[in-house]
Amino acid sequence: QVQLVESGGGLVQPGGSLRLSCAASGSIFSINAMGWYRQNPGKQRELVAVISKGGSTDFADSVKGRFTISRDNAKNTVSLQMDSLKPEDTAVYYCNAAVKTSLVATFRAFWGQGTQVTVSS
């Protein structure tokens, strides 16, 4: 199967920065889009940022200009650089990847276990 392992969450003061990283491993033939989502208790999981295999990016309006997403296709990793953090960025952040496990398989979505980001003074 496929495993996504996130790292880099934690507690940061408003205005501070954090960098989240996610590494995909396992039965990987090809990875299409990779991205980050976030979720708070009682709320729906929402898209934060996504990056295509070719490097095209898209961001939620709430994080545009503050967050940057990047990936290393050779290492099957994706990172989220979060700057100028606000208390409303507090959430559990999940890594997501669309993965093909063989030549004949279709792309399936896989998720990491989540990492907590807390922005508070």
Side-chain angles (χ1 to χ4, degrees), residues 1 7 19 21 24 32 50 54 58-59 73 77 80 110 112 118-119:
Q1 274 293 357
S7 60
R19 185 176 180 85
S21 296
N32 199 353
V50 63
D58 197 15
F59 297 88
N73 291 333
T77 60
L80 184 69
F110 289 88
T118 302
V119 184

Side-chain angles (χ1 to χ4, degrees), residues 16-96:
S17 298
L18 277 177
R19 185 176 180 85
L20 305 182
S21 296
C22 173
S25 63
S27 301
I28 297 171
F29 178 80
S30 177
I31 300 179
N32 199 353
M34 301 184 82
W36 291 91
Y37 291 70
R38 65 188 181 189
Q39 187 173 25
N40 279 305
K43 294 191 175 182
Q44 283 193 330
R45 192 170 295 187
E46 62 175 1
L47 174 68
V48 176
V50 63
I51 184 167
S52 72
K53 190 171 186 177
S56 298
T57 60
D58 197 15
F59 297 88
D61 287 343
S62 59
V63 307
K64 282 181 181 176
R66 300 188 297 120
F67 290 11
T68 304
I69 188 170
S70 60
R71 66 187 284 174
D72 185 329
N73 291 333
K75 297 181 179 179
N76 292 332
T77 60
V78 61
S79 297
L80 184 69
Q81 177 66 39
M82 304 184 292
D83 299 319
S84 303
L85 282 160
K86 304 176 181 180
E88 50 264 43
D89 294 318
T90 296
V92 177
Y93 283 69
Y94 296 90
C95 175
N96 170 272

